[in-house]
Amino acid sequence: MSKLTDYAIVLLAHLARTGHTLTAQELAARSKVPLPTVSKLCKELSKAGIVVSHRGRRGGYGLARPAEQISVAQIVEALEGPIALTQCVQPGLQSCDIEATCLAKSSWDPVSRAIHGALQNLPLSAIAPDRVPAGPAEAAGSAPITIGVHAS
């Protein structure tokens, strides 16, 4: 997974945690991801139908659907294409020059399917499980994000 995809997941986790629209500047401040990168990723995620952009005075970016309905696989595929460990197991690609003698292809296919299945079954809501109420900590962008566990 590329650094950009990792950043995209972080940005989406912030959107999921807040439950409302955030500007690119707010996302950059909360996530510490540079503003140009936030803008680029939000544009790509908008094209993929994962986020929606709202124009105007109260504009910004929000999730296109609930975090429970967005899988990590959808996020990865939106930015990187099909999930596969090697090119030869990517759907729709032509055979490579050594396919006839390759001993590894049949081993990679089930591994790629398992990884895809795991990411498909991992919703964004599992990465950002609790919405943080608007308050001083959230306004300062200091609310911690915990993955898969509830903070006590």
Side-chain angles (χ1 to χ4, degrees):
M1 189 168 71
S2 73
K3 185 180 263 189
L4 284 177
T5 301
D6 185 27
Y7 286 164
I9 292 170
V10 169
L11 298 176
L12 292 169
H14 280 281
L15 288 173
R17 289 282 306 250
T18 62
H20 61 271
T21 302
L22 295 173
T23 66
Q25 293 85 356
E26 289 170 325
L27 279 168
R30 289 168 185 252
S31 67
K32 309 301 185 227
V33 173
L35 181 59
T37 303
V38 170
S39 297
K40 175 182 177 176
L41 288 171
C42 286
K43 183 177 179 182
E44 289 299 314
L45 293 167
S46 180
K47 276 197 261 183
I50 295 172
V51 300
V52 292
S53 64
H54 302 280
R55 296 189 177 269
R57 188 168 172 222
R58 295 188 180 235
Y61 296 94
L63 295 179
R65 54 192 180 277
E68 298 80 24
Q69 296 176 13
I70 300 171
S71 73
V72 173
Q74 292 168 328
I75 300 165
V76 172
E77 289 173 337
L79 297 168
E80 300 193 24
I83 298 169
L85 291 179
T86 61
Q87 284 189 326
C88 65
V89 295
Q90 285 185 4
L93 288 184
Q94 298 297 325
S95 305
C96 75
D97 294 337
I98 64 167
E99 183 176 16
T101 60
C102 180
L103 299 176
K105 181 177 180 177
S106 63
S107 298
W108 286 126
D109 188 44
V111 173
S112 288
R113 281 196 317 261
I115 291 170
H116 183 271
L119 295 177
Q120 189 64 38
N121 290 322
L122 180 64
L124 178 60
S125 59
I127 293 173
D130 294 321
R131 286 204 172 136
V132 178
E138 185 183 45
S142 61
I145 293 179
T146 55
I147 297 176
V149 296
H150 295 279
S152 48

